[in-house]
């Protein structure tokens, strides 16, 4: 029966759609032929959702092409509804595969700093890591190594070695300095083992984040001897060793060695230490983690929990706000996206934008470190600001450049949606856009993006042009009344309109062009609300689970360093449900991710067939 | 202006007189390829946001389609019209628009914005594989630091693909470009034995990894090999460059950072492109004159207001569409269209600067421009309509006598840009009968 239906839909799509959307033409970059062969269909979830919207709203096939009957449309939608919308993720058990990936430029600098006990400020020397659709720059499939980058590694590492081990003529670098970067105790060199061997054992283990194999050890000892025999000074040969290690693939890449078996396997303790440290710190494991890995104790749940708590308190965990939250919520773009004109906007300084980003990063961290519920993202009644931001917010009594916790009780602000960084990156320069803000809330914050706009919307722009005197709200209403646009704009616009009291840089404004602002909104289900406080309330009442699920998804993707796949949805759902019993607390989320199957298990081969991992998520 | 590095008019003349014969072509020609194969330089100049009708067409042609006069928006290019070929009715059948169009302009593939996959290796990288072994850098990829939305978007910033899934990196800082050409990697510290060591380690690592992961190590190995080749080359050429550096201020190192004046920035990068070709540092160069949906403000041009992308939507002049900044508005369609065209003309002006440089530099028998073929254009036609057909394109230079320039070619039936890419590769001696979807090279270049 189901199979029959599938064949029917297959035939319908072939006769109405494949003329344009097949392997050869791929009009609009849509290839239904290959999408139909890719199973389960949810592997192309977004594309299928788009197909469903187009079929449902009769945007496709185009008017001049043969049209399916109503029954045929219904049959297509019915089948897709079952295969895509109601796909049973719980039947999929699959931990995924974390491919090797190079460190991001930031991770590279932080790791080298920790390894050499230095503090390198050299990020500027790298070209910007570009990001693909996933949004995080630690995603494996966007981290390339091109010849130009290799050149950059060589010159950056050269600078690092010069900075960490400055050479003076006729003065030898004390051995203790070298011993320290190998994690050796100072007098270790007196035993039988040649000291260079002891150094390499320690240094390579730290640099490669796992014990160095005999082959690697032999390779480095051999070359060191060659250098020395050719007359190279001891310090120079040591510097060369450090250089070679820092440009080697085992340092530049995060590598997990495959086991022989084709089944899912538990990653070893060294791999776990690295996954943990790059997730929570964006750098290499420290001494404690290495010790626990060497003792093979890190897997014990109570040991792991204690480490999570310890690591979150460490300042290195600031990257959860400065990198993870910044890239998820998009506020790291503040500064590149907003064009500053120092003549027209003398108040819009670099230091202000820096403080605005720091505000949101610090706020996010306070939720994680303070084990607050995820819902606080929306309703926290405090934030972290300095004098410059306080001035922007018109909050009195905050002096000096350092951030400090300030209560928002009795103010117009609360949570993320009251913060300047978020309000600014969801506006155009000099102008707010209710659509952009609404879309940001739906897509970025709640993970429920509206479908793509239908083709041929430009006709509407022409009509709008004749109505230049309308207020933004009236224009949007006109747009919304159009049947093709209504579905999505009914969701997006009210959210954005309720934030219209905040201008394009997050400043409060009582009126817009002398007109009072109407910040009321109505959701498609009829719920009325007004302003940020109303929005906050309806979101928490109606969309809390979406917010939690999105937070889970984003943090899991960041933790794994890869885009989530359909087989990760099971973990997302299990975790979301688990958190409901824990008041949605952030630390429980971090723990849940670290204990989850995709974090602790892996398939060593590129996975496609569902397999059974041996543990359940919490 | 003064403290910025440019090729001064005077130094250009001096170097002409000095007959520096810097390019190492004579040496390379010895091993038997044809002169075109060994001499031709290929370049790609990309502009985003399309061009309105009228800013790319000749004003008049004669009976055999030779260019008599360009239209007023193209006036800066008028002095070079004998070096210009304008094909009309070409397109990229598979990928177009701001992101897919940019990413596939040189691959002839499609790009779906879900996977990072441009459908194939880009033509410049294929060209580099064919002729790059004889130059210090197989190819050079230049771009400008973005402004506004999408500045970090991968597809909008990527013309060159080493393979369908591996975007080539690109340089936006003038000094870094110069240093790659004229200073050794690692400023001399990198010992060849260090590279040998990491290659050795990589190969043994690779054997223990799965197929997918091993590919990543291959990527790394390729990168190390490229650096190795470059060092080798630099060692061979060292004395030559030292000599050249002393004899002309053409080789002064640019100041660090990005010039604040946009024209200076563009021209400095063009100087570097010229320098790269002329010194023989490379024979393949791409230059993005902004990312694929540039939101750069061009208010610095007299009479222009707004971002390039906003201006390209010239039929909406209210200043209130989602593409606008909410402050800039225009009196009429006509004024906005004029500004859009003015921005196009500004870019023609920069390209004219480049052509003048290339025309005045000697490259053996003939000028650098005589020995080059540069594709200049966009992946959109009219920016407002997001038109993907009849793309604005020009072929600049004589291509070592393989291009019958000074003409317009009017295709009755749409012709794929892949045909141009295929024709380019064949000129460089690549043994290939196809590029992307086509096996029909653009023979009309010569007709």
């Amino acid at each position: 029966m189901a199979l029959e239906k599938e064949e029917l839909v297959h035939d319908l799509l072939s006769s109405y759609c494949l003329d344009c959307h097949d392997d050869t033409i791929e009009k609009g970059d849509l290839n239904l032929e290959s999408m139909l062969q890719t199973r389960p269909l949810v592997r192309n979830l977004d594309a299928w959702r788009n197909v469903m919207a187009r079929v449902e709203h009769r945007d496709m096939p185009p008017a001049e092409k043969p049209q399916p009957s109503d029954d045929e449309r219904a049959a297509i939608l019915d089948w897709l509804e079952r295969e895509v919308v109601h796909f049973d993720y719980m039947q999929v058990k699959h931990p995924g595969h974390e491919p090797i990936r190079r460190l991001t430029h930031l991770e590279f600098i932080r790791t080298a700093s920790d390894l050499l006990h230095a503090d390198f400020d050299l990020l500027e020397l790298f070209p910007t890591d570009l990001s693909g659709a996933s949004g995080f720059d630690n995603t494996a499939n966007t981290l390339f190594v091109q010849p130009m980058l290799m050149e950059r590694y060589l010159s950056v590492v050269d600078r690092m070695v010069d900075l960490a081990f400055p050479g003076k003529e006729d003065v030898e670098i004390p051995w203790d300095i070298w011993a320290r970067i190998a994690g050796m105790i100072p007098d270790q060199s007196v035993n039988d083992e040649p000291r260079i061997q002891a150094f390499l054992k320690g240094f390579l283990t730290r640099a490669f984040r796992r014990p160095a194999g005999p082959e690697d050890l032999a390779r480095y000892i051999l070359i060191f001897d060659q250098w020395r025999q050719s007359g190279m000074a001891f310090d120079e040969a040591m510097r060369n060793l450090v250089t070679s290690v820092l440009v080697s693939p085992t340092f530049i890449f995060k590598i997990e060695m495959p086991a022989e078996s084709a089944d899912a396997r538990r990653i070893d303790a060294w791999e776990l230490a690295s996954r943990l440290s790059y997730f929570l710190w964006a750098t290499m494991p420290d001494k404690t983690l290495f010790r626990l890995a060497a003792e093979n104790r890190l897997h014990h749940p109570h040991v792991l929990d204690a480490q999570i708590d310890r690591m979150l308190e460490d300042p290195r965990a600031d990257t959860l706000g400065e990198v993870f939250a910044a890239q998820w919520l998009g506020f790291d773009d503040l500064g590149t996206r907003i064009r500053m004109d120092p003549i027209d906007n003398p108040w819009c300084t670099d230091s202000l934008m820096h403080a605005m980003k720091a505000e949101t990063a610090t706020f996010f961290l306070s939720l994680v470190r303070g084990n607050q519920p995820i819902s606080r993202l929306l309703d926290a009644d405090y934030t972290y600001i300095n004098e410059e931001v306080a001035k922007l917010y018109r909050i009195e009594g905050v002096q000096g450049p350092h951030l400090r916790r300030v209560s928002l009780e009795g103010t117009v602000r609360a949570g993320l949606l009251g913060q300047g960084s978020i309000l600014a990156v969801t506006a155009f320069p000099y102008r707010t856009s209710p659509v952009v803000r609404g879309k940001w809330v739906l897509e970025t914050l709640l993970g429920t993006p509206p479908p793509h706009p239908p083709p041929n919307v430009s006709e509407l722009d022409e009509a709008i042009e004749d109505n230049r005197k309308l207020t933004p709200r009236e224009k949007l209403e006109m747009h919304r009344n159009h049947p093709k646009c209504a579905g999505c704009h009914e969701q997006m616009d009210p959210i954005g309109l309720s934030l219209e009291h905040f201008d394009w840089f997050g400043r409060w404004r009582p009126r817009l062009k002398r007109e009072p602002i109407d910040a009321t909104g109505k959701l498609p289900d009829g719920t009325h609300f007004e302003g940020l406080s109303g929005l906050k309330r309806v979101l928490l009442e109606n969309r809390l689970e979406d917010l939690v699920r999105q937070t889970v998804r984003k943090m899991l993707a960041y933790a794994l360093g890869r885009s989530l796949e359909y087989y990760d949805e099971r973990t997302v759902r299990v975790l979301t449900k688990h958190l409901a019993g824990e008041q949605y607390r952030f630390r429980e989320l971090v723990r849940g991710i670290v204990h989850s199957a995709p974090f602790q298990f892996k398939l060593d081969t590129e996975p496609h067939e569902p397999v059974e991992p041996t543990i359940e998520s919490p | 202006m003064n403290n910025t590095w440019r090729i001064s008019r005077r130094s250009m003349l001096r170097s002409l007189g000095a007959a520096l014969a810097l390019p190492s072509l004579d040496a390379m020609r010895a091993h038997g390829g044809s002169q075109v194969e060994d001499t031709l330089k290929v370049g790609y100049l990309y502009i985003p946001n399309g061009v309105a009708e009228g800013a790319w067409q000749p004003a008049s042609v004669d009976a055999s389609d030779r260019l008599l006069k360009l239209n007023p928006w193209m006036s800066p290019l008028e002095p070079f019209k004998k070096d210009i070929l304008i094909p009309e009715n070409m397109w990229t059948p598979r990928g177009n628009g701001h992101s897919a169009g940019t990413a596939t302009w040189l691959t002839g593939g499609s790009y779906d914005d879900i996977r990072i996959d441009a459908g194939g290796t880009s033509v410049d990288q294929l060209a580099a594989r064919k002729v790059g072994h004889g130059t210090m850098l197989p190819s050079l990829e230049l771009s400008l630091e973005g402004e506004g939305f999408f500045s970090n978007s991968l597809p909008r910033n990527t013309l060159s693909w080493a393979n369908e899934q591996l975007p080539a990196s690109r340089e936006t800082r003038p000094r870094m470009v110069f240093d790659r050409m004229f200073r050794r990697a690692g400023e001399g510290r990198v010992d060849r034995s260090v590279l040998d060591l990491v290659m050795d380690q990589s190969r043994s690592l690779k054997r223990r990894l799965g197929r997918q992961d091993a590919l990543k190590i291959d990527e790394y190995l390729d990168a190390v090999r490229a650096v190795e080749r470059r060092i080798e080359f630099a060692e061979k050429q060292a004395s030559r460059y030292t000599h050249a550096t002393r004899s002309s201020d053409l080789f002064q190192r640019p100041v660090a950072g990005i010039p604040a004046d946009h024209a200076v920035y563009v021209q400095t990068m063009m100087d570097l492109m010229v320098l790269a070709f002329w010194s023989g540092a490379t024979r393949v160069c791409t230059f993005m004159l902004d990312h694929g949906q540039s939101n750069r403000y061009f208010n610095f041009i007299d009479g222009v207001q707004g971002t390039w992308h906003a201006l390209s939507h010239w039929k909406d002049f209210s200043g209130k569409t989602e593409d606008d900044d909410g402050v800039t508005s225009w009196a009429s369609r006509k004024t906005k269209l004029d500004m859009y065209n003015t921005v196009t003309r500004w870019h023609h002006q920069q390209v004219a600067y480049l052509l003048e440089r290339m025309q005045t530099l000697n490259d053996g028998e003939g000028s650098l421009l005589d020995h080059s073929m540069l594709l200049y254009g966009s992946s959109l036609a009219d920016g407002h309509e997001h038109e993907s057909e009849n793309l604005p394109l020009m072929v600049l230079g004589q291509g070592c006598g393989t291009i019958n320039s000074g003409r317009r070619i009017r295709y009755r039936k749409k012709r794929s840009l892949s045909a141009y890419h295929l024709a380019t590769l064949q000129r460089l001696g690549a043994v290939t009968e196809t590029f992307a979807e086509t096996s029909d090279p653009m023979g009309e270049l010569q007709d």
Side-chain angles (χ1 to χ4, degrees), chain A residues 24 26 29 44 47 97 99-100 124-125 127-128 130-133 140-148 150-152 154-155 158 161-162 208 215-216 219-220 223 227 232 236 239-240 243-244 247-250 252-253 255-258 333 336-337 339 427-431 433 435-436 461-462 465 468 470 475 606, chain B residues 94 100 110-116 137 145 147-149 151-154 157-158 165-171 173 176 180 185-187 189-191 193-195 197-198 200-202 204-205 208-210 212-213 216-217 219-220 223-224 226-227 230 297 315-318 320-322 324-327 330 333 384:
Chain A
T24 35
E26 293 187 33
D29 287 316
N44 287 307
H97 165 73
I100 68 172
E124 282 281 289
L125 292 177
T128 322
L130 299 173
S131 56
N141 70 346
T142 60
L143 291 163
F144 303 104
V145 179
Q146 302 100 333
M148 191 195 100
M150 197 64 227
E151 291 172 22
R152 217 47 66 81
L154 292 167
S155 62
D158 191 42
V161 171
D162 272 347
F208 298 164
E215 199 192 347
D216 273 339
R219 186 179 287 119
Y220 280 93
I223 192 122
W227 284 332
M232 194 185 282
E236 196 50 25
R239 282 200 197 94
N240 255 352
T243 305
S244 342
V247 298
S248 74
T250 6
I252 289 175
F253 288 97
I255 297 175
E256 294 171 351
M257 279 302 183
D333 278 354
T336 34
R337 269 206 203 166
R339 196 178 85 102
F428 290 102
Y430 308 117
R431 182 175 64 98
S433 163
V435 181
V436 174
D461 297 342
E462 308 257 322
E465 200 172 283
R468 292 171 64 190
L470 301 179
K475 272 200 325 184
E606 185 73 1
Chain B
R94 285 180 176 168
S110 68
Y111 190 92
D112 66 7
D113 263 319
I114 301 167
R115 277 165 290 269
I116 294 173
L137 301 172
E145 201 68 38
E147 182 179 301
F149 283 109
S151 291
N152 293 343
S153 152
L154 192 148
N157 277 287
T158 308
Q165 293 177 2
L166 175 59
S169 198
R170 75 238 195 284
E171 293 281 7
R173 290 165 187 266
M176 298 274 194
R180 284 189 73 203
E187 322 249 296
R189 165 71 71 70
V190 175
D191 198 298
S193 53
V194 168
L195 295 184
L197 177 70
V198 295
D200 190 29
Q201 194 204 346
S202 310
S204 93
L205 176 66
R208 287 176 286 150
L209 290 173
Q212 207 67 22
D213 286 349
K216 211 67 197 167
I217 298 299
E219 195 178 302
Y220 172 93
V224 178
V227 174
R230 192 167 82 82
Y297 279 87
K315 289 183 183 170
D316 301 315
F317 58 91
S318 63
K320 290 181 178 172
T321 75
E322 284 301 318
D324 292 309
D325 64 14
V327 170
W330 299 269
R333 266 189 189 185
H384 186 85

Side-chain angles (χ1 to χ4, degrees), chain B residues 103-104 107-111 115-121 161 163-166:
Chain B
T104 63
T107 70
S110 68
Y111 190 92
R115 277 165 290 269
I116 294 173
D117 185 341
T121 305
W161 296 80
N163 63 50
E164 69 273 20
Q165 293 177 2
L166 175 59

